[in-house]
Structures are given as structure tokens and as C-alpha cells.
Amino acid sequence: MRYQKALKYLVTFFCIITLNFFLPRIMPGDPFYFLSSEQGEVTVTYSQEEIDRFKAYYGLDKPVLAQYGSYLKGIIKGDLGYSIYFGSDVRTIIKNRIPWSVSLVLLSVIIGGGAGTLLGCLSAWQRGKGSDKVLYGIMVVISEIPAFLIGIFFLFYLAARQGIFPLSGGAKPFADYASWADAVLDIVYHGFLPTLTLSAVQMGGFYLIARNSMITVMSKDYIITAKAKGLSTGRILFRHALSNAALPIVTQAFYSLGQAVGGTLLVENVFKYPGLGSLMRQAVMVRDYPLIQGIFLTVTFFVVIMNAVVDILYKKLDPRIT
Amino acid sequence: MKKSKISKLFAACVLTIVIFGMAGCGTKTTEKSLGGTGEQSAPLVICLEGGDWGFPSPFAHYSRGPGASKMRLIYDSLLEKGEEGLIPWLAREWTISPDGREYTFVLNSKVKWHDGKMLTVQDVKFSFEYFMKHPPVSDSLFIDGKPFIEKIEVIDESQVKIVVKEPNATVLDRLGIVRIIPEHIWKDIDDPKKVMDLDKLVGCGPYILTDYSQEQGKYRFQAFKDYWGRKPRVDVIEFIPVSDPVLAFENGEIDLLDVPPDIIDRYENNKEFKILKSPAFWGYKLLFNMEKKPELADINVRKAIAHAVDVDELIEKVARGAAVSASSGYLPIDHIWYNPDVTRYDFDIEKAKELLNNKLLNLVLLISDSQQEARIAELLKINFAKAGINIDVRAVDMKTRDNCVKNCDYELAIIGHGGWGRDADCLREAYAATVARDAGPASNVICGYSNPKISQLCKKQLIELDEQKRKSMIMELQKLISDEIPMLPLYNTIDYTVFKPEKYDGWVHVFDHHAVTHNKLSYLEQDKK
């Protein structure tokens, strides 16, 4: 049974990396030809001879299947190739950005997820009353506002207007930190608004899921029993109800974590935060095949791993699931 | 139990937030006090909008965007682009043989590399030879995809002679802008694209790169104290990540802003700020594919389309006033060889209808997914419909559009690019159908068009070494092109750059480029003459 599951994951993984390889190559255009540029920008446009030389240099002149073969071989060896546009090792590029993206998402899932779940529980407890209605309304609105709008609001209000937070970046440029604690504080300071923005976005989703799930559980007989036993509200809510309503919340949490790599794009753009989302957008824009493959591989890896973790956790949370 | 745990967790969260907030405020204060440059003795640090444009070696910066300009701060060339034209730089003088095949450059003496070694003529020879073997990102040593240098000779310790295969009017420009790199660093490097070490970035230019971060998009350049030439006025140039340039400028994080036209009045009539208007060297053009749509080969149809474009409306509504109408002869109004007497096509729907003979025309207009192009396309669509030209707008991503244009897979296309201030040979690249598709964003993209008169004149100007004669040919060429309109230049954009002169006011535009931050003259003392 367990092997079957592992095999399933392996097959999924293989299909995805194959798609990763072929999809970018189906897109029209190649990594070297730029005819136009964005406003105010200048580009270098290469002649066909020069493009052919580049293609030979990056091995793109070989038949596609041969390229596919060396791509698979590379993956097995852990070699993701060399980025055409960025001119450096794909592994290094991704490795330098992952900590920024992952910590942003991890923190926002913890903060947003925690707050959302808590409020969802309270809302379910107060179901139909004024406070529930108000909270529900607010949360529906928050969950529907695009992340970048919330981000821009924070940027304008908290960073530009109040000057409490920095306008952009992941750390103070060219800072000379006296100690590692200073460095950490600076990174936290710069990451605060992006995290807050993502947390706000996460919170709405978690709230709605937690509330729904809790409402279902609250009507169960054992909750009535618990109430009849005279247990405290907190104990009923968090001990008896939440643990039984946790499945969808946990799914949501790991789903969000799986999105760590690409899901922060809009927030990264607003705050010029150094994450993988904006890198992915750029890689696709310039048709940097090795980098697109590398990033999508990382995304795949994250999603598959998170799914596997959820599978395992499900069984722990609800022994009825096989 | 559980409840108390959760409340503890909550309290912890709140506490963390408070601590972060306080830490933030603390850092902010230090930042401010460090940033203040009120005292005169303090080094002049100029902060500019950054973003990652690649490791600034001649081989590794990105082909798009201002990566090349950062690389040029580190590396000097034989000549430099000045405000009016090419100016002597590493070469203090040069001669061209009467047959136009031999270029002799006399180098300045006492030029030092950043590592203290002296620059020699051999380094110059090496640079050219190395670039021919390992082409840099911005490569000027190829014409139509082919190398044009025959050989390079060292004459004595200060002179170098470059012999080219055939006379060509663009050679001086092409040789002059080649970066000179140190032989002692690069001679053993076989794959220069992979070189990413700061200590390999030894140039003889006015600035040394001291810090670069790809993921954060920041660069820090420090003035080279033994620089041979004009003294750097700016001690440190920092390119930093910026989320919103206007906010960053207002907050004092950056010292220069390309101000959006809608808010320019905020800085006008204010002594604290100075506004520079850039030459209009970036622009949009409308391409006609006469191969796929033979109707477009009819000159009257092209003229009708030209009369159906309300350029003033485009400039007002899309460019928000920050643009000038493009010349139908291609070279824009700010180009040193612009011909003001080209044929113009005013917005006149009736005339367009007349030229079309009241025929109806159905065309597909290909654009990229940029907002500006979508707006242009929508406005064109409305006016074209009035003239009896129905267009169907198709928006794709930039690379797809470029690829379609390259493969002649479009009917009409809008394309935007820079470099309109380049040498007038760009006319040949764009309009002379005999040229292979190649170099330059303006290169041969008019499918199915050929005009022997234009092609001939294009070729003739390329080998004309007498500047005045060549200039008059270019003037004639623009007139011919404007009569034929094989493609329709729409408008050229203007940048308004605002800065505080009190902090630094050395910003200049060079003759062929639109951005003050992209040329090294902006950071150096002005010529004393």
C-alpha cells in the first residue's frame, strides 16, 4: 500500500517534469531574440548568426529528445543547468531566493492561518449573532481583495505616509551589520509588511474554512453532550470541536505552504521583495528554459511533498481514513 | 488547558509584532542619520533605482535594460559618446586612412587598471581579439552578423592600428565603443560568461563595483581614486531596489526620478527641483506585412492608414503628453541627422477614405500585452473604423509578438523599442530589404517590401566616409522613406527626469541616448575646455 502511494508520487513527479521540459519549448519565441523592449528600455537584438552561436553554447541546437535526455540526466545528478538570461547556475539562483519566499509564506500561514482559524471558531460559536455577521462580512471582503491591493495600501499608509516601515527590498541595501542579531532584525523589519499582507490574504481563506467546518461539527451530538456536561466554552471549542474540524484547515495550511514558491508573486512585486515569484514571471517572459524548468521543478517538489505530508497527517488526525 | 495555550500563543504573536515594530523604528532612525549628506566633507553618495540587470561584466549583464550602462562604469573604451557626438576617451586622437580601411588610435598614457597595473596597447589588441572569439553581450564587432576587422597591429607603445575588410561609415563608432579589458585577467579564461567574481571585474573606468546582489537587485559602485581621466564627482553610486519610484524619491531614498507625466507639476516651478527633458529616442511604430496582406503593398492603402492615425490623440491619451510625433522618415526629431522636410501625414479621415477609394479593409493588429500598446490599439481601432478599415486586435505576450514579427506572421503589428538615436545606418537595417534580418531592434521587419532606390541609397551611405556627403544622403533617404512609408513610426516618448540640484546636478544627456543615468559623463567632472 505504502509503496503504491510512493510509486504514484513518483509517476506524478515524472509527468510534471516532462511537462516542465516541453511546455516552455512550445511557447513561441526563443531566449535570445528580442525585437522590442519595455518603455524606456533598450535591448540588444542579435543577428541569426549570433543566435545560432548562443544556441550551440547552451546546447539548444541539439534535437529536442537529446536535450530532454540530458535534462533528465541532470535532474538525477541534481544539476538544473545554467540560466540563459541570468547567466548563472539555476540551483544557485533558486537557492538564493528560496529562503525569502519560504519564510514569507511560512510566517504568513502561521499568522494568517492562526488568526483566521481562531476567528472562524469564534464566529461559528456565535453563529447567527451580530458579531458573527459583522466578522463574516469583513472576512469575505478581505478574502476577496487581491493581495497586491492590500500590499499597496500598506505601502502607502504604513511605509510612505507613516514612515514606520521601509518601502522596498528584503534588507537594507549595503548595510554593515554590527552583529547577526542586527541582520535578523533588519530582515524581519523589511519582511514585516509583505508578511502582514500575505497574512491578511491567508486569514480570510482560513476564516471561512474554519467557520464552515466548525459549524458542521458544532451541531454534532457530542458537542451537545459537552455543553450539557457544563464544560467551558474554550474547552468545547478548541478541544472537542476544533480537533474534529481540523481536516479542511490542515489541508488549506499545506496547500498554502505548497504555494510557497510561486504564490508570493504579487506581494513581491509590490514590495520589490526578492522571492521566487517574480523570478518565475521573468523567466517565462524571457523564455529562459533552464530556469523555468528549475523553478517549476521546485514548485512541483514543494507541492508533492506537502501533499504527501497532508496524506500522512490525515491518517493521524482521522484514523478512519485509509 | 488548550485555551490557555492559545492565548499564550496569541500573546506571543502580539509581542513579536510589537518588538518587530520597535526594531523597525530603530533601524529607520539609523538609516536616516546615515543617509544625511549635509556636511560638505562627506563623500557624495547618489542612490538610484536598482533592480537586477546582471553581473556587470561585458559578458554577463543582461541583454535587456540598463545592465550595459552599469558595466560601462567599470570599463572604458577608446572613444566615448559625448553630448554632441563621439569624443576622445582612452584614445586621445585617431586617424583614418584615405581608403577608409585603417584606423589608427593614439592612447592616453598613464592609464591604470583598478588593480594598479598599467594599461598597455597590447591590452587594447587583446580586447578586440578576445571579443571576436568570445562575443560580449553588446557586440559591435559584427556588421550584418559578420566580423569586419581584418587585423589589429600594435604600432608602438601608444599606437594601435585596426585594419578593416572594407570601408564603412559606422566603423569608427563600432570600434570606439568596444570595452577595453585587461589581458592579465582574461587571457586564461575560456568561458567568460561564467565569470562572476567581483575581483575579476578589473577595468580602467571611473568606478569599481564593490557590491552586487542578484536577488535583491542592488549594486554599489565606488569611484576609482587613480582614474586617469575626468575626475569622478560622485563618490559612490548605489542602485537599490525600489517598489514605487515616486514614493522612494519623496522619501529621499533615491536621488533621481523619471517622473510620470501626470504628476510633473508637483515638481515644476519649485526651486528645490530641477527637471530635465530627455531626447525622444524610444518609440512605437506600426508595421505593415505586405507579404501576408498584399493590399498593404498598395502605397495608397499605407497612406490611408497613415492619415487615419491621430498621433496627437495617442500622445495625449496614451503617453499623457510625454511624447513627440514620430517622423515618417523614421529618424526622430532629436536625432542629429533628423530631416524636418519629410512628407507628413496629418490626421484626416476623409483623405484616408478617398485614398482607399471607399473600399473596406479587414486587418488583424498584433500587439503585446502591455497596457500602452492595448490603449494605442483601441484608439487606432476607433479611427480606423471611421475610415473603413476594420481591425481585429490580437494581444499576445512580448516574446510571442516579437517572434511573430520575426517570422512575418502578422498583418499589422505595433512594436516599441529604444535606440532611435543610434547611427543613421539603422535606416539601412530597417528599410533595405537586401540586408539579412539582424542587429538592431529596428532591423529588417518589413515583410514583403523592397524598393531599389531606398536599398541602393542605404548601401551607398554605408560606404560614404565623407560625413557631410553621408549626411545629405541620409536626409534624402528620410524623404524617400517618408514618401513610401513602408512602416509607420507613431510617436517617440520623452522622459522627464527630476532631481534636487542642491545634492547633485551633474546629469547630462549624451547625443544618442534618452537616460541621464546610463552614461558615465553624468557622474564625472565636465570637460574643462
Side-chain angles (χ1 to χ4, degrees):
Chain A
M1 204 57 194
R2 194 169 277 181
Y3 294 116
Q4 226 175 354
K5 203 136 221 184
L7 193 70
K8 231 191 232 168
Y9 277 120
L10 263 181
V11 171
T12 313
F13 203 69
F14 179 75
C15 291
I16 293 174
I17 55 175
T18 305
L19 276 178
N20 276 354
F21 177 83
F22 287 101
L23 274 183
R25 283 169 172 76
I26 296 171
M27 291 192 289
D30 66 45
F32 312 106
Y33 192 74
F34 287 98
L35 194 62
S36 53
S37 59
E38 275 168 42
Q39 198 161 326
E41 256 183 24
V42 184
T43 47
V44 180
T45 307
Y46 294 111
S47 64
Q48 196 54 49
E49 280 93 340
E50 287 166 302
I51 291 178
D52 292 344
R53 207 167 41 221
F54 281 127
K55 282 193 173 162
Y57 178 85
Y58 290 104
L60 295 175
D61 55 339
K62 294 192 193 111
V64 178
L65 280 180
Q67 289 181 43
Y68 178 59
S70 51
Y71 163 66
L72 288 183
K73 232 194 276 170
I75 288 183
I76 293 165
K77 278 193 275 177
D79 176 14
L80 296 182
Y82 210 75
S83 158
I84 296 168
Y85 182 75
F86 291 91
S88 36
D89 191 37
V90 170
R91 261 182 319 189
T92 321
I93 299 178
I94 295 178
K95 198 183 76 198
N96 286 344
R97 299 220 185 197
I98 274 191
W100 302 98
S101 282
V102 170
S103 49
L104 209 60
V105 172
L106 196 67
L107 273 175
S108 64
V109 168
I110 293 173
I111 298 171
T117 309
L118 191 71
L119 292 174
C121 293
L122 297 177
S123 221
W125 182 253
Q126 302 282 319
R127 192 188 173 193
K129 292 188 187 154
S131 57
D132 169 47
K133 281 179 184 159
V134 173
L135 206 57
Y136 184 74
I138 294 172
M139 288 296 167
V140 167
V141 172
I142 288 183
S143 65
E144 291 305 320
I145 301 177
F148 72 91
L149 268 187
I150 301 179
I152 287 174
F153 169 76
F154 285 145
L155 185 72
F156 272 75
Y157 187 71
L158 292 177
R161 193 89 194 227
Q162 305 290 334
I164 306 173
F165 292 103
L167 283 172
S168 55
K172 187 173 171 324
F174 321 112
D176 221 353
Y177 299 117
S179 67
W180 64 265
D182 281 356
V184 170
L185 278 180
D186 186 43
I187 288 168
V188 169
Y189 173 48
H190 276 78
F192 193 87
L193 285 188
T195 311
L196 194 64
T197 309
L198 271 183
S199 302
V201 176
Q202 301 277 7
M203 187 170 68
F206 274 99
Y207 167 82
L208 293 176
I209 285 172
R211 183 177 174 275
N212 260 353
S213 181
M214 285 292 273
I215 284 173
T216 318
V217 172
M218 295 298 256
S219 60
K220 293 270 154 69
D221 290 345
Y222 57 81
I223 299 291
I224 299 170
T225 315
K227 279 184 190 165
K229 270 163 55 182
L231 295 179
S232 71
T233 313
R235 200 169 163 85
I236 298 172
L237 259 185
F238 299 115
R239 178 90 190 210
H240 293 266
L242 186 59
S243 56
N244 285 299
L247 274 193
I249 302 169
V250 169
T251 316
Q252 171 73 9
F254 281 90
Y255 169 77
S256 303
L257 289 178
Q259 303 293 307
V261 176
T264 54
L265 168 66
L266 294 174
V267 174
E268 280 171 32
N269 271 352
V270 172
F271 294 100
K272 274 282 168 320
Y273 201 77
L276 272 170
S278 45
L279 185 74
M280 177 161 72
R281 178 179 162 269
Q282 205 171 11
V284 172
M285 217 172 80
V286 300
R287 307 285 193 266
D288 190 341
Y289 303 141
L291 188 59
I292 299 175
Q293 285 159 201
I295 296 174
F296 283 139
L297 184 76
T298 320
V299 174
T300 312
F301 189 73
F302 263 79
V303 174
V304 171
I305 291 285
M306 289 306 155
N307 277 353
V309 173
V310 170
D311 270 351
I312 296 165
L313 270 182
Y314 262 28
K315 265 182 235 160
K316 295 251 185 277
L317 285 172
D318 189 348
R320 287 169 298 180
I321 295 175
T322 49
Chain B
M1 262 325 269
K2 198 88 181 183
K3 193 182 177 187
S4 68
K5 257 188 199 165
I6 284 173
S7 54
K8 267 184 203 162
L9 190 75
F10 227 82
C13 285
V14 172
L15 195 68
T16 334
I17 290 169
V18 171
I19 291 171
F20 289 172
M22 278 160 56
C25 300
T27 326
K28 186 78 188 177
T29 354
T30 20
E31 204 174 318
K32 276 264 164 73
S33 62
L34 282 173
T37 47
E39 293 142 46
Q40 289 192 332
S41 58
L44 178 60
V45 180
I46 292 290
C47 292
L48 299 170
E49 182 177 351
D52 178 33
W53 299 104
F55 185 70
S57 99
F59 307 96
H61 67 83
Y62 306 153
S63 55
R64 293 169 60 235
S69 65
K70 293 183 176 61
M71 178 274 291
R72 290 188 199 117
L73 293 173
I74 304 170
Y75 296 93
D76 269 356
S77 47
L78 293 174
L79 310 178
E80 189 54 62
K81 305 242 166 128
E83 287 167 76
E84 256 109 62
L86 289 172
I87 52 173
W89 207 252
L90 281 176
R92 65 186 142 90
E93 52 194 72
W94 63 90
T95 48
I96 306 171
S97 68
D99 68 352
R101 289 192 51 223
E102 292 177 11
Y103 290 75
T104 310
F105 295 92
V106 185
L107 300 192
N108 274 304
S109 54
K110 294 184 185 152
V111 177
K112 258 189 198 170
W113 295 109
H114 295 160
D115 59 5
K117 294 200 168 73
M118 298 304 288
L119 177 136
T120 65
V121 188
Q122 184 54 38
D123 284 316
V124 176
K125 183 174 189 277
F126 170 82
S127 304
F128 281 90
E129 287 168 350
Y130 194 79
F131 286 140
M132 299 229 267
K133 238 190 296 167
H134 306 283
V137 179
S138 306
D139 190 4
S140 62
L141 292 179
F142 290 80
I143 298 177
D144 301 342
K146 294 184 183 60
F148 62 85
I149 294 180
E150 195 172 282
K151 60 178 175 186
I152 303 151
E153 289 168 24
V154 171
I155 298 178
D156 58 32
E157 61 198 19
S158 69
Q159 292 191 71
V160 62
K161 185 163 83 182
I162 300 173
V163 182
V164 297
K165 288 175 182 159
E166 24 188 68
N168 182 307
T170 64
V171 163
L172 183 67
D173 192 323
R174 288 170 182 275
L175 296 177
I177 58 170
V178 170
R179 302 295 115 183
I180 305 303
I181 54 171
E183 184 175 11
H184 61 273
I185 300 277
W186 295 93
K187 65 174 191 280
D188 297 323
I189 295 173
D190 287 329
D191 193 354
K193 275 184 169 306
K194 296 210 166 122
V195 172
M196 294 279 159
D197 316 323
L198 278 187
D199 55 351
K200 288 274 191 298
L201 276 194
V202 175
C204 59
Y207 289 91
I208 300 173
L209 182 73
T210 58
D211 203 337
Y212 163 61
S213 161
Q214 185 181 56
E215 65 274 17
Q216 299 197 48
K218 57 179 194 180
Y219 297 78
R220 186 176 187 276
F221 290 93
Q222 189 142 23
F224 175 39
K225 62 178 192 314
D226 288 335
Y227 184 54
W228 65 273
R230 300 181 186 185
K231 206 172 158 317
R233 278 183 70 192
V234 178
D235 299 296
V236 174
I237 311 168
E238 292 185 348
F239 293 91
I240 57 170
V242 165
S243 52
D244 184 282
V246 179
L247 292 181
F249 181 71
E250 298 263 318
N251 257 25
E253 288 182 16
I254 53 174
D255 295 308
L256 187 122
L257 171 72
D258 278 338
V259 55
D262 285 331
I263 60 161
I264 196 156
D265 48 0
R266 193 182 168 91
Y267 305 105
E268 271 170 346
N269 304 320
N270 185 337
K271 269 195 198 136
E272 201 187 340
F273 302 107
K274 208 163 152 180
I275 302 172
L276 281 184
K277 186 177 155 193
S278 79
F281 289 152
W282 198 96
Y284 288 108
K285 62 193 186 195
L286 180 67
L287 302 177
F288 306 127
N289 186 345
M290 299 170 221
E291 203 173 283
K292 202 168 173 188
K293 273 278 167 187
E295 297 96 306
L296 293 167
D298 179 354
I299 186 165
N300 285 331
V301 171
R302 298 201 299 270
K303 282 186 177 166
I305 292 178
H307 279 299
V309 176
D310 188 353
V311 176
D312 292 336
E313 186 193 25
L314 295 181
I315 291 176
E316 188 207 321
K317 292 188 176 158
V318 185
R320 311 296 297 154
V324 288
S325 171
S327 162
S328 47
Y330 188 80
L331 294 187
I333 191 162
D334 290 320
H335 195 281
I336 44 171
W337 285 358
Y338 162 70
N339 182 355
D341 300 321
V342 293
T343 311
R344 286 163 204 280
Y345 300 90
D346 299 326
F347 175 55
D348 188 341
I349 293 289
E350 286 313 311
K351 190 123 187 224
K353 275 189 190 161
E354 203 180 294
L355 283 161
L356 280 175
N357 241 338
N358 288 321
K359 263 188 306 192
L360 282 183
L361 207 60
N362 291 307
L363 295 163
V364 179
L365 172 62
L366 182 70
I367 58 168
S368 85
D369 48 8
S370 92
Q371 259 184 23
Q372 310 272 337
E373 282 172 38
R375 285 184 196 146
I376 296 176
E378 284 308 316
L379 291 172
L380 289 185
K381 190 177 170 149
I382 295 168
N383 282 331
F384 280 18
K386 288 182 201 156
I389 310 162
N390 292 315
I391 55 171
D392 188 8
V393 179
R394 197 179 142 223
V396 293
D397 86 308
M398 195 161 110
K399 273 271 183 183
T400 307
R401 191 266 320 271
D402 289 6
N403 197 55
C404 289
V405 169
K406 184 187 178 192
N407 296 328
C408 289
D409 184 16
Y410 68 96
E411 295 179 4
L412 294 178
I414 292 175
I415 209 158
H417 62 79
W420 294 56
R422 290 192 315 142
D423 184 279
D425 189 43
C426 58
L427 292 178
R428 182 185 60 92
E429 287 168 352
Y431 294 95
T434 48
V435 182
R437 281 173 209 293
D438 79 300
S443 64
N444 194 2
V445 287
I446 313 163
C447 304
Y449 179 79
S450 146
N451 179 312
K453 236 168 137 185
I454 291 181
S455 301
Q456 246 169 20
L457 199 53
C458 280
K459 271 196 224 160
K460 230 169 109 189
Q461 61 78 31
L462 185 61
I463 48 171
E464 179 54 65
L465 299 174
D466 183 305
E467 194 164 317
Q468 278 316 310
K469 277 190 199 158
R470 183 170 178 238
K471 186 174 174 182
S472 64
M473 284 180 194
I474 296 293
M475 294 291 158
E476 195 190 334
L477 197 49
Q478 290 176 70
K479 178 81 177 87
L480 273 178
I481 289 168
S482 70
D483 288 337
E484 279 280 311
I485 40 166
M487 65 177 158
L488 183 66
L490 295 171
Y491 66 79
N492 296 101
T493 57
I494 297 168
D495 290 337
Y496 290 98
T497 305
V498 54
F499 59 92
K500 291 183 179 169
E502 196 190 318
K503 176 152 187 196
Y504 185 69
D505 67 349
W507 305 108
V508 288
H509 280 110
V510 297
F511 76 98
D512 68 342
H513 196 80
H514 62 272
V516 286
T517 52
H518 291 183
N519 70 77
K520 66 176 77 160
L521 301 191
S522 278
Y523 309 98
L524 306 177
E525 274 181 355
Q526 299 305 310
D527 198 8
K528 288 182 196 88
K529 68 177 178 189

